[in-house]
Amino acid sequence: MILSFSSFGEVKSILGYFDDKSYWLNIPDGFYKDANNAARIGAIFLLIPDGYDFNSAPAIIYSAVYSDKIAKDAISFDVDKFKSRAPQLTVKDTQKEISSAGKEVLFKEFIDPSSKQQPYEVVSYVQEGDSVVTVVMSAFQEKGYNHLLPAFINMAKSYESSTIKVLNKSIQSTAKAATN
């Protein structure tokens, strides 16, 4: 489930949650959320550049969660999965940053220019209890990937979390009331 927030003059943020945890990140300038396609692909949220839709976007950002894993295992799982699909894939060394809230954020880049799907991808991993929150940026061209990478890293570094429960029913009722 997601919520997004913004006020005039403030940074846009997006809130995602799973189990008994919630987390939020600052949305890079020039992106909007696409809840319908997020649900279709099983993502917690999906961001698309302004002026594009899911099928035409030069890059997308989405979030998912690995349950009952540690970050190191989630990274190994992703490396093995991507390498099995594309043995020529270049996997860059894991980089570590610290979020504004003091959380360790690990980044792994997966590059395969010959791939027709997601040839340039970076995944951020944040340990949340027994789960790992991932935020992924996928791009179709190296130039766009390199251009968006700093904004994506800043987004991932804005990661904050809470154990405050978010009630699905309450949010859905509020969302329905707002659209009616």
Side-chain angles (χ1 to χ4, degrees):
M1 178 57 140
I2 59 152
L3 294 173
S4 60
F5 305 93
S6 79
S7 296
F8 182 72
E10 290 185 19
V11 175
K12 291 190 311 183
S13 296
I14 193 157
L15 171 71
Y17 67 88
F18 64 100
D19 298 332
D20 62 348
K21 303 253 192 274
S22 59
Y23 62 98
W24 56 96
L25 301 128
N26 295 338
I27 299 174
D29 287 338
F31 279 80
Y32 71 94
K33 68 179 173 82
D34 181 344
N36 291 335
N37 279 308
R40 187 177 62 78
I41 67 171
I44 292 174
F45 65 76
L46 172 68
L47 303 174
I48 297 176
D50 292 342
Y52 294 93
D53 63 23
F54 181 74
N55 294 319
S56 67
I60 61 171
I61 297 173
Y62 63 92
S63 183
V65 174
Y66 283 108
S67 297
D68 300 320
K69 282 204 185 296
I70 61 171
K72 183 180 119 197
D73 293 342
I75 292 170
S76 292
F77 177 82
D78 281 352
V79 170
D80 292 345
K81 177 178 70 174
F82 292 136
K83 279 287 214 184
S84 72
R85 293 181 191 162
Q88 70 282 8
L89 179 76
T90 299
V91 180
K92 295 194 176 179
D93 290 339
T94 304
Q95 296 179 9
K96 181 173 87 170
E97 296 280 345
I98 302 298
S99 76
S100 57
K103 288 269 193 184
E104 184 175 82
V105 183
L106 303 172
F107 293 90
K108 196 73 161 174
E109 290 183 86
F110 303 92
I111 310 294
D112 181 9
S114 68
S115 174
K116 301 234 186 292
Q117 292 184 333
Q118 304 164 331
Y120 300 92
E121 190 162 88
V122 60
V123 183
S124 69
Y125 303 84
V126 178
Q127 191 72 49
E128 273 303 337
D130 294 337
S131 299
V132 180
V133 173
T134 64
V135 181
V136 181
M137 181 185 72
S138 291
F140 288 103
Q141 296 179 344
E142 183 177 17
K143 183 178 178 182
Y145 176 80
N146 290 333
H147 175 74
L148 290 172
L149 187 58
F152 174 79
I153 290 171
N154 285 336
M155 175 188 184
K157 286 172 50 178
S158 74
Y159 182 94
E160 294 186 46
S161 64
S162 175
T163 56
I164 296 172
K165 280 198 169 196
V166 179
L167 303 174
N168 281 343
K169 197 169 203 168
S170 169
I171 288 173
Q172 290 171 350
S173 297
T174 304
K176 283 182 182 178
T179 59
N180 290 333

